[in-house]
Amino acid sequence: MTGHGPLFSTEEEAKLVDHVKYMANLGYGFTICEVVAKATDFAVFLKKLTHDNPLSVKRFHGF
């Protein structure tokens, strides 16, 4: 497989998925762009990215 490797560990990815599902259960379904923004914020929090280099919607489809 070519391209970027996984940015998040399995546990980190599970936390992000749990948050998206939790919000959906509350009645707020995130758009793809909002999920990408949340994932970018999470990656910045984990010091895996900077806001100067955000994730793209293309990366979302691999997620």
Short mmCIF file of all heavy atoms in Angstrom, two decimals:
data_model
loop_
_atom_site.label_atom_id
_atom_site.label_comp_id
_atom_site.label_asym_id
_atom_site.label_seq_id
_atom_site.Cartn_x
_atom_site.Cartn_y
_atom_site.Cartn_z
N MET A 1 0.84 -1.18 0.00
CA MET A 1 0.00 0.00 0.00
C MET A 1 0.89 1.24 0.00
O MET A 1 1.85 1.31 0.74
CB MET A 1 -0.92 -0.02 1.22
CG MET A 1 -1.85 1.13 1.32
SD MET A 1 -2.92 0.93 2.75
CE MET A 1 -4.42 1.46 2.03
N THR A 2 0.57 2.20 -0.83
CA THR A 2 1.34 3.43 -0.90
C THR A 2 0.64 4.53 -0.13
O THR A 2 -0.53 4.42 0.22
CB THR A 2 1.53 3.86 -2.36
OG1 THR A 2 0.25 4.09 -2.93
CG2 THR A 2 2.28 2.81 -3.15
N GLY A 3 1.36 5.60 0.11
CA GLY A 3 0.76 6.73 0.81
C GLY A 3 1.19 6.78 2.26
O GLY A 3 2.11 6.09 2.69
N HIS A 4 0.49 7.61 3.00
CA HIS A 4 0.80 7.80 4.42
C HIS A 4 0.42 6.57 5.23
O HIS A 4 -0.55 5.90 4.94
CB HIS A 4 0.03 8.98 4.98
CG HIS A 4 0.35 10.27 4.31
ND1 HIS A 4 1.52 10.95 4.54
CD2 HIS A 4 -0.34 11.01 3.41
CE1 HIS A 4 1.54 12.04 3.81
NE2 HIS A 4 0.41 12.11 3.11
N GLY A 5 1.22 6.30 6.25
CA GLY A 5 0.87 5.26 7.19
C GLY A 5 -0.15 5.80 8.18
O GLY A 5 -0.54 6.97 8.13
N PRO A 6 -0.59 4.98 9.11
CA PRO A 6 -1.57 5.44 10.10
C PRO A 6 -1.01 6.56 10.96
O PRO A 6 0.14 6.51 11.39
CB PRO A 6 -1.84 4.21 10.95
CG PRO A 6 -1.27 3.05 10.22
CD PRO A 6 -0.24 3.58 9.28
N LEU A 7 -1.81 7.57 11.17
CA LEU A 7 -1.41 8.68 12.02
C LEU A 7 -1.71 8.36 13.48
O LEU A 7 -0.91 8.63 14.37
CB LEU A 7 -2.14 9.96 11.61
CG LEU A 7 -1.88 11.21 12.44
CD1 LEU A 7 -0.41 11.62 12.34
CD2 LEU A 7 -2.78 12.34 11.98
N PHE A 8 -2.87 7.75 13.72
CA PHE A 8 -3.31 7.44 15.07
C PHE A 8 -3.09 5.98 15.39
O PHE A 8 -3.21 5.12 14.52
CB PHE A 8 -4.81 7.75 15.22
CG PHE A 8 -5.16 9.20 15.02
CD1 PHE A 8 -5.97 9.59 13.97
CD2 PHE A 8 -4.69 10.16 15.89
CE1 PHE A 8 -6.30 10.92 13.77
CE2 PHE A 8 -5.02 11.50 15.71
CZ PHE A 8 -5.82 11.88 14.65
N SER A 9 -2.80 5.71 16.65
CA SER A 9 -2.75 4.33 17.11
C SER A 9 -4.18 3.79 17.11
O SER A 9 -5.15 4.55 16.99
CB SER A 9 -2.16 4.25 18.52
OG SER A 9 -3.07 4.81 19.46
N THR A 10 -4.31 2.50 17.27
CA THR A 10 -5.63 1.88 17.32
C THR A 10 -6.47 2.47 18.45
O THR A 10 -7.65 2.75 18.28
CB THR A 10 -5.50 0.35 17.50
OG1 THR A 10 -4.70 -0.16 16.43
CG2 THR A 10 -6.84 -0.33 17.48
N GLU A 11 -5.85 2.70 19.60
CA GLU A 11 -6.55 3.25 20.75
C GLU A 11 -6.99 4.70 20.50
O GLU A 11 -8.10 5.10 20.85
CB GLU A 11 -5.69 3.19 22.02
CG GLU A 11 -5.38 1.78 22.48
CD GLU A 11 -4.21 1.14 21.72
OE1 GLU A 11 -3.43 1.85 21.05
OE2 GLU A 11 -4.10 -0.09 21.78
N GLU A 12 -6.10 5.49 19.89
CA GLU A 12 -6.42 6.88 19.60
C GLU A 12 -7.56 6.96 18.58
O GLU A 12 -8.48 7.77 18.72
CB GLU A 12 -5.19 7.62 19.08
CG GLU A 12 -4.11 7.78 20.11
CD GLU A 12 -2.76 8.14 19.54
OE1 GLU A 12 -2.56 7.99 18.31
OE2 GLU A 12 -1.88 8.54 20.33
N GLU A 13 -7.49 6.13 17.57
CA GLU A 13 -8.54 6.10 16.56
C GLU A 13 -9.88 5.70 17.19
O GLU A 13 -10.91 6.29 16.87
CB GLU A 13 -8.16 5.12 15.45
CG GLU A 13 -9.06 5.18 14.25
CD GLU A 13 -8.55 4.34 13.10
OE1 GLU A 13 -7.42 4.56 12.66
OE2 GLU A 13 -9.32 3.47 12.64
N ALA A 14 -9.85 4.74 18.10
CA ALA A 14 -11.07 4.30 18.77
C ALA A 14 -11.68 5.44 19.58
O ALA A 14 -12.90 5.60 19.61
CB ALA A 14 -10.79 3.10 19.66
N LYS A 15 -10.85 6.27 20.23
CA LYS A 15 -11.35 7.41 20.99
C LYS A 15 -12.05 8.41 20.07
O LYS A 15 -13.11 8.94 20.41
CB LYS A 15 -10.21 8.10 21.74
CG LYS A 15 -9.74 7.35 22.95
CD LYS A 15 -8.65 8.11 23.67
CE LYS A 15 -8.16 7.31 24.86
NZ LYS A 15 -7.11 8.03 25.61
N LEU A 16 -11.46 8.65 18.91
CA LEU A 16 -12.06 9.58 17.96
C LEU A 16 -13.39 9.03 17.45
O LEU A 16 -14.39 9.76 17.39
CB LEU A 16 -11.09 9.84 16.81
CG LEU A 16 -11.50 10.87 15.77
CD1 LEU A 16 -11.76 12.23 16.41
CD2 LEU A 16 -10.43 10.98 14.70
N VAL A 17 -13.42 7.76 17.11
CA VAL A 17 -14.65 7.12 16.63
C VAL A 17 -15.72 7.15 17.72
O VAL A 17 -16.89 7.47 17.45
CB VAL A 17 -14.38 5.67 16.17
CG1 VAL A 17 -15.67 4.92 15.92
CG2 VAL A 17 -13.51 5.67 14.92
N ASP A 18 -15.34 6.86 18.96
CA ASP A 18 -16.29 6.90 20.07
C ASP A 18 -16.91 8.29 20.23
O ASP A 18 -18.10 8.41 20.49
CB ASP A 18 -15.63 6.46 21.38
CG ASP A 18 -15.35 4.97 21.44
OD1 ASP A 18 -15.92 4.22 20.63
OD2 ASP A 18 -14.56 4.57 22.31
N HIS A 19 -16.09 9.32 20.08
CA HIS A 19 -16.60 10.68 20.21
C HIS A 19 -17.60 11.01 19.11
O HIS A 19 -18.67 11.57 19.38
CB HIS A 19 -15.45 11.69 20.19
CG HIS A 19 -15.91 13.11 20.25
ND1 HIS A 19 -16.51 13.65 21.36
CD2 HIS A 19 -15.88 14.10 19.32
CE1 HIS A 19 -16.83 14.92 21.12
NE2 HIS A 19 -16.46 15.21 19.89
N VAL A 20 -17.27 10.63 17.88
CA VAL A 20 -18.18 10.88 16.76
C VAL A 20 -19.50 10.13 16.97
O VAL A 20 -20.58 10.69 16.77
CB VAL A 20 -17.52 10.49 15.42
CG1 VAL A 20 -18.51 10.54 14.27
CG2 VAL A 20 -16.33 11.40 15.13
N LYS A 21 -19.43 8.88 17.41
CA LYS A 21 -20.64 8.10 17.68
C LYS A 21 -21.44 8.68 18.84
O LYS A 21 -22.67 8.73 18.79
CB LYS A 21 -20.28 6.64 17.98
CG LYS A 21 -19.85 5.86 16.77
CD LYS A 21 -19.53 4.42 17.17
CE LYS A 21 -19.15 3.56 16.00
NZ LYS A 21 -18.86 2.18 16.42
N TYR A 22 -20.75 9.12 19.88
CA TYR A 22 -21.42 9.73 21.03
C TYR A 22 -22.20 10.96 20.60
O TYR A 22 -23.37 11.12 20.98
CB TYR A 22 -20.38 10.09 22.10
CG TYR A 22 -20.94 10.86 23.26
CD1 TYR A 22 -21.71 10.23 24.23
CD2 TYR A 22 -20.71 12.22 23.38
CE1 TYR A 22 -22.24 10.94 25.30
CE2 TYR A 22 -21.24 12.95 24.45
CZ TYR A 22 -22.00 12.29 25.40
OH TYR A 22 -22.52 13.01 26.45
N MET A 23 -21.58 11.81 19.82
CA MET A 23 -22.25 13.02 19.36
C MET A 23 -23.43 12.67 18.46
O MET A 23 -24.48 13.32 18.54
CB MET A 23 -21.27 13.94 18.63
CG MET A 23 -20.20 14.52 19.55
SD MET A 23 -20.85 15.46 20.95
CE MET A 23 -21.49 16.89 20.10
N ALA A 24 -23.29 11.65 17.63
CA ALA A 24 -24.40 11.21 16.77
C ALA A 24 -25.57 10.72 17.62
O ALA A 24 -26.72 11.00 17.31
CB ALA A 24 -23.92 10.12 15.82
N ASN A 25 -25.27 10.01 18.70
CA ASN A 25 -26.33 9.53 19.60
C ASN A 25 -27.06 10.68 20.29
O ASN A 25 -28.22 10.55 20.67
CB ASN A 25 -25.78 8.57 20.64
CG ASN A 25 -25.46 7.21 20.06
OD1 ASN A 25 -26.04 6.81 19.06
ND2 ASN A 25 -24.52 6.51 20.67
N LEU A 26 -26.37 11.80 20.46
CA LEU A 26 -26.98 12.99 21.04
C LEU A 26 -27.79 13.77 20.00
O LEU A 26 -28.44 14.75 20.34
CB LEU A 26 -25.93 13.91 21.66
CG LEU A 26 -25.21 13.39 22.89
CD1 LEU A 26 -24.15 14.38 23.34
CD2 LEU A 26 -26.19 13.12 24.02
N GLY A 27 -27.69 13.35 18.75
CA GLY A 27 -28.44 14.02 17.70
C GLY A 27 -27.62 14.94 16.82
O GLY A 27 -28.16 15.64 15.98
N TYR A 28 -26.31 14.97 17.05
CA TYR A 28 -25.47 15.82 16.23
C TYR A 28 -24.53 14.96 15.40
O TYR A 28 -23.55 14.42 15.91
CB TYR A 28 -24.65 16.80 17.07
CG TYR A 28 -23.90 17.77 16.19
CD1 TYR A 28 -24.53 18.91 15.73
CD2 TYR A 28 -22.59 17.53 15.80
CE1 TYR A 28 -23.87 19.78 14.89
CE2 TYR A 28 -21.93 18.39 14.96
CZ TYR A 28 -22.57 19.52 14.51
OH TYR A 28 -21.93 20.38 13.67
N GLY A 29 -24.84 14.81 14.15
CA GLY A 29 -23.98 14.06 13.24
C GLY A 29 -22.99 15.00 12.58
O GLY A 29 -23.38 16.00 11.99
N PHE A 30 -21.72 14.73 12.73
CA PHE A 30 -20.69 15.56 12.13
C PHE A 30 -20.67 15.37 10.61
O PHE A 30 -20.90 14.28 10.11
CB PHE A 30 -19.30 15.18 12.66
CG PHE A 30 -19.05 15.59 14.09
CD1 PHE A 30 -18.85 14.64 15.07
CD2 PHE A 30 -18.98 16.93 14.45
CE1 PHE A 30 -18.59 15.00 16.37
CE2 PHE A 30 -18.73 17.30 15.76
CZ PHE A 30 -18.53 16.34 16.72
N THR A 31 -20.36 16.44 9.90
CA THR A 31 -20.09 16.33 8.47
C THR A 31 -18.67 15.78 8.31
O THR A 31 -17.89 15.74 9.27
CB THR A 31 -20.17 17.70 7.77
OG1 THR A 31 -19.13 18.54 8.27
CG2 THR A 31 -21.53 18.35 7.99
N ILE A 32 -18.33 15.39 7.09
CA ILE A 32 -16.98 14.89 6.83
C ILE A 32 -15.95 15.97 7.18
O ILE A 32 -14.94 15.68 7.83
CB ILE A 32 -16.83 14.42 5.38
CG1 ILE A 32 -17.63 13.14 5.15
CG2 ILE A 32 -15.36 14.19 5.02
CD1 ILE A 32 -17.67 12.66 3.72
N CYS A 33 -16.22 17.19 6.79
CA CYS A 33 -15.28 18.28 7.07
C CYS A 33 -15.11 18.50 8.57
O CYS A 33 -14.00 18.78 9.04
CB CYS A 33 -15.73 19.56 6.39
SG CYS A 33 -15.56 19.52 4.59
N GLU A 34 -16.19 18.34 9.33
CA GLU A 34 -16.09 18.49 10.78
C GLU A 34 -15.29 17.34 11.41
O GLU A 34 -14.51 17.57 12.35
CB GLU A 34 -17.49 18.56 11.40
CG GLU A 34 -18.20 19.86 11.10
CD GLU A 34 -19.65 19.87 11.55
OE1 GLU A 34 -20.33 18.82 11.44
OE2 GLU A 34 -20.11 20.94 12.00
N VAL A 35 -15.47 16.14 10.90
CA VAL A 35 -14.69 15.01 11.41
C VAL A 35 -13.21 15.23 11.12
O VAL A 35 -12.35 15.00 11.98
CB VAL A 35 -15.17 13.67 10.81
CG1 VAL A 35 -14.22 12.53 11.19
CG2 VAL A 35 -16.58 13.35 11.27
N VAL A 36 -12.89 15.71 9.93
CA VAL A 36 -11.50 15.99 9.57
C VAL A 36 -10.93 17.07 10.49
O VAL A 36 -9.80 16.95 10.97
CB VAL A 36 -11.39 16.39 8.08
CG1 VAL A 36 -10.01 16.92 7.76
CG2 VAL A 36 -11.74 15.21 7.19
N ALA A 37 -11.72 18.10 10.77
CA ALA A 37 -11.26 19.17 11.67
C ALA A 37 -11.04 18.63 13.08
O ALA A 37 -10.04 18.98 13.73
CB ALA A 37 -12.27 20.31 11.68
N LYS A 38 -11.96 17.79 13.57
CA LYS A 38 -11.80 17.19 14.90
C LYS A 38 -10.56 16.30 14.95
O LYS A 38 -9.81 16.30 15.93
CB LYS A 38 -13.03 16.37 15.30
CG LYS A 38 -14.29 17.17 15.49
CD LYS A 38 -14.21 18.02 16.72
CE LYS A 38 -15.48 18.83 16.89
NZ LYS A 38 -15.31 19.92 17.82
N ALA A 39 -10.35 15.52 13.90
CA ALA A 39 -9.18 14.65 13.84
C ALA A 39 -7.90 15.47 13.80
O ALA A 39 -6.90 15.11 14.45
CB ALA A 39 -9.27 13.73 12.63
N THR A 40 -7.92 16.58 13.07
CA THR A 40 -6.75 17.46 13.03
C THR A 40 -6.48 18.02 14.42
O THR A 40 -5.33 18.01 14.88
CB THR A 40 -6.96 18.60 12.02
OG1 THR A 40 -7.09 18.04 10.70
CG2 THR A 40 -5.80 19.58 12.03
N ASP A 41 -7.52 18.51 15.09
CA ASP A 41 -7.36 19.05 16.45
C ASP A 41 -6.81 17.99 17.40
O ASP A 41 -5.94 18.28 18.23
CB ASP A 41 -8.69 19.58 16.99
CG ASP A 41 -9.16 20.84 16.28
OD1 ASP A 41 -8.35 21.50 15.60
OD2 ASP A 41 -10.37 21.15 16.40
N PHE A 42 -7.30 16.77 17.27
CA PHE A 42 -6.84 15.67 18.11
C PHE A 42 -5.37 15.37 17.84
O PHE A 42 -4.57 15.19 18.76
CB PHE A 42 -7.71 14.44 17.88
CG PHE A 42 -7.49 13.31 18.84
CD1 PHE A 42 -7.31 13.51 20.19
CD2 PHE A 42 -7.50 11.99 18.37
CE1 PHE A 42 -7.13 12.45 21.07
CE2 PHE A 42 -7.31 10.92 19.24
CZ PHE A 42 -7.12 11.15 20.59
N ALA A 43 -4.98 15.36 16.56
CA ALA A 43 -3.58 15.10 16.19
C ALA A 43 -2.67 16.22 16.68
O ALA A 43 -1.55 15.94 17.13
CB ALA A 43 -3.46 14.93 14.68
N VAL A 44 -3.14 17.45 16.63
CA VAL A 44 -2.36 18.57 17.16
C VAL A 44 -2.21 18.43 18.67
O VAL A 44 -1.12 18.61 19.22
CB VAL A 44 -3.00 19.92 16.77
CG1 VAL A 44 -2.37 21.08 17.54
CG2 VAL A 44 -2.91 20.15 15.27
N PHE A 45 -3.30 18.07 19.35
CA PHE A 45 -3.26 17.85 20.80
C PHE A 45 -2.23 16.78 21.16
O PHE A 45 -1.51 16.89 22.15
CB PHE A 45 -4.65 17.46 21.30
CG PHE A 45 -4.69 17.06 22.74
CD1 PHE A 45 -4.66 18.02 23.74
CD2 PHE A 45 -4.76 15.72 23.10
CE1 PHE A 45 -4.70 17.65 25.09
CE2 PHE A 45 -4.80 15.34 24.44
CZ PHE A 45 -4.76 16.31 25.43
N LEU A 46 -2.17 15.72 20.33
CA LEU A 46 -1.22 14.62 20.57
C LEU A 46 0.19 14.94 20.07
O LEU A 46 1.08 14.11 20.18
CB LEU A 46 -1.73 13.35 19.88
CG LEU A 46 -3.05 12.78 20.40
CD1 LEU A 46 -3.52 11.65 19.49
CD2 LEU A 46 -2.91 12.30 21.83
N LYS A 47 0.36 16.14 19.50
CA LYS A 47 1.64 16.60 18.95
C LYS A 47 2.12 15.73 17.79
O LYS A 47 3.30 15.50 17.60
CB LYS A 47 2.69 16.70 20.04
CG LYS A 47 2.32 17.69 21.13
CD LYS A 47 3.42 17.89 22.11
CE LYS A 47 3.12 18.77 23.27
NZ LYS A 47 2.13 19.73 23.27
N LYS A 48 1.16 15.26 16.99
CA LYS A 48 1.46 14.46 15.80
C LYS A 48 1.39 15.30 14.54
O LYS A 48 1.87 14.89 13.50
CB LYS A 48 0.52 13.27 15.69
CG LYS A 48 0.71 12.27 16.82
CD LYS A 48 -0.13 11.05 16.63
CE LYS A 48 0.18 10.04 17.73
NZ LYS A 48 -0.20 8.70 17.33
N LEU A 49 0.74 16.46 14.63
CA LEU A 49 0.60 17.41 13.52
C LEU A 49 0.64 18.81 14.08
O LEU A 49 0.50 19.01 15.28
CB LEU A 49 -0.75 17.24 12.81
CG LEU A 49 -1.01 16.09 11.88
CD1 LEU A 49 -2.42 16.20 11.30
CD2 LEU A 49 -0.02 16.05 10.74
N THR A 50 0.76 19.77 13.18
CA THR A 50 0.57 21.17 13.54
C THR A 50 -0.63 21.69 12.75
O THR A 50 -1.02 21.08 11.75
CB THR A 50 1.81 22.01 13.18
OG1 THR A 50 1.99 21.99 11.77
CG2 THR A 50 3.06 21.48 13.88
N HIS A 51 -1.17 22.79 13.19
CA HIS A 51 -2.31 23.37 12.46
C HIS A 51 -1.88 23.88 11.09
O HIS A 51 -2.71 24.12 10.23
CB HIS A 51 -2.97 24.49 13.27
CG HIS A 51 -3.96 23.97 14.27
ND1 HIS A 51 -5.14 23.39 13.92
CD2 HIS A 51 -3.92 23.95 15.62
CE1 HIS A 51 -5.80 23.03 15.00
NE2 HIS A 51 -5.08 23.35 16.05
N ASP A 52 -0.57 24.03 10.88
CA ASP A 52 -0.07 24.44 9.56
C ASP A 52 -0.17 23.32 8.55
O ASP A 52 -0.07 23.56 7.35
CB ASP A 52 1.40 24.87 9.66
CG ASP A 52 1.58 26.09 10.55
OD1 ASP A 52 0.60 26.84 10.75
OD2 ASP A 52 2.70 26.30 11.04
N ASN A 53 -0.34 22.08 9.03
CA ASN A 53 -0.38 20.91 8.15
C ASN A 53 -1.59 20.05 8.53
O ASN A 53 -1.44 18.94 9.03
CB ASN A 53 0.92 20.12 8.31
CG ASN A 53 1.03 18.99 7.33
OD1 ASN A 53 0.43 19.02 6.27
ND2 ASN A 53 1.79 17.98 7.67
N PRO A 54 -2.82 20.55 8.27
CA PRO A 54 -4.01 19.81 8.69
C PRO A 54 -4.26 18.56 7.85
O PRO A 54 -3.70 18.41 6.76
CB PRO A 54 -5.14 20.82 8.48
CG PRO A 54 -4.65 21.70 7.38
CD PRO A 54 -3.16 21.78 7.58
N LEU A 55 -5.08 17.68 8.37
CA LEU A 55 -5.50 16.50 7.63
C LEU A 55 -6.41 16.92 6.49
O LEU A 55 -7.04 17.98 6.53
CB LEU A 55 -6.23 15.53 8.55
CG LEU A 55 -5.39 14.93 9.67
CD1 LEU A 55 -6.28 14.13 10.61
CD2 LEU A 55 -4.30 14.06 9.11
N SER A 56 -6.51 16.07 5.49
CA SER A 56 -7.36 16.37 4.34
C SER A 56 -8.56 15.43 4.31
O SER A 56 -8.56 14.39 4.98
CB SER A 56 -6.57 16.21 3.05
OG SER A 56 -6.23 14.85 2.86
N VAL A 57 -9.54 15.78 3.52
CA VAL A 57 -10.71 14.93 3.34
C VAL A 57 -10.28 13.61 2.71
O VAL A 57 -10.83 12.55 3.02
CB VAL A 57 -11.78 15.65 2.49
CG1 VAL A 57 -12.92 14.72 2.14
CG2 VAL A 57 -12.30 16.86 3.24
N LYS A 58 -9.26 13.64 1.86
CA LYS A 58 -8.75 12.41 1.24
C LYS A 58 -8.28 11.43 2.32
O LYS A 58 -8.52 10.24 2.23
CB LYS A 58 -7.60 12.75 0.29
CG LYS A 58 -7.07 11.58 -0.47
CD LYS A 58 -5.99 12.01 -1.44
CE LYS A 58 -5.42 10.83 -2.18
NZ LYS A 58 -4.37 11.23 -3.12
N ARG A 59 -7.64 11.94 3.33
CA ARG A 59 -7.17 11.08 4.44
C ARG A 59 -8.35 10.49 5.21
O ARG A 59 -8.28 9.38 5.71
CB ARG A 59 -6.28 11.90 5.37
CG ARG A 59 -5.66 11.11 6.47
CD ARG A 59 -4.20 10.96 6.27
NE ARG A 59 -3.63 10.13 7.31
CZ ARG A 59 -2.36 10.10 7.62
NH1 ARG A 59 -1.54 10.87 6.98
NH2 ARG A 59 -1.93 9.31 8.54
N PHE A 60 -9.44 11.23 5.27
CA PHE A 60 -10.66 10.75 5.95
C PHE A 60 -11.12 9.43 5.36
O PHE A 60 -11.52 8.53 6.08
CB PHE A 60 -11.77 11.80 5.84
CG PHE A 60 -13.11 11.29 6.28
CD1 PHE A 60 -13.46 11.31 7.61
CD2 PHE A 60 -14.03 10.77 5.35
CE1 PHE A 60 -14.70 10.84 8.03
CE2 PHE A 60 -15.26 10.32 5.77
CZ PHE A 60 -15.59 10.36 7.10
N HIS A 61 -11.08 9.32 4.05
CA HIS A 61 -11.57 8.11 3.40
C HIS A 61 -10.72 6.89 3.75
O HIS A 61 -11.22 5.77 3.74
CB HIS A 61 -11.67 8.32 1.90
CG HIS A 61 -12.71 9.33 1.53
ND1 HIS A 61 -14.06 9.08 1.65
CD2 HIS A 61 -12.61 10.61 1.09
CE1 HIS A 61 -14.74 10.15 1.29
NE2 HIS A 61 -13.88 11.09 0.94
N GLY A 62 -9.46 7.09 4.10
CA GLY A 62 -8.62 6.01 4.58
C GLY A 62 -8.88 5.65 6.02
O GLY A 62 -8.57 4.57 6.49
N PHE A 63 -9.48 6.60 6.74
CA PHE A 63 -9.80 6.41 8.14
C PHE A 63 -10.97 5.47 8.27
O PHE A 63 -10.97 4.52 8.97
CB PHE A 63 -10.12 7.78 8.77
CG PHE A 63 -10.61 7.72 10.17
CD1 PHE A 63 -9.78 7.35 11.20
CD2 PHE A 63 -11.91 8.10 10.47
CE1 PHE A 63 -10.23 7.33 12.51
CE2 PHE A 63 -12.37 8.10 11.77
CZ PHE A 63 -11.53 7.71 12.79
#
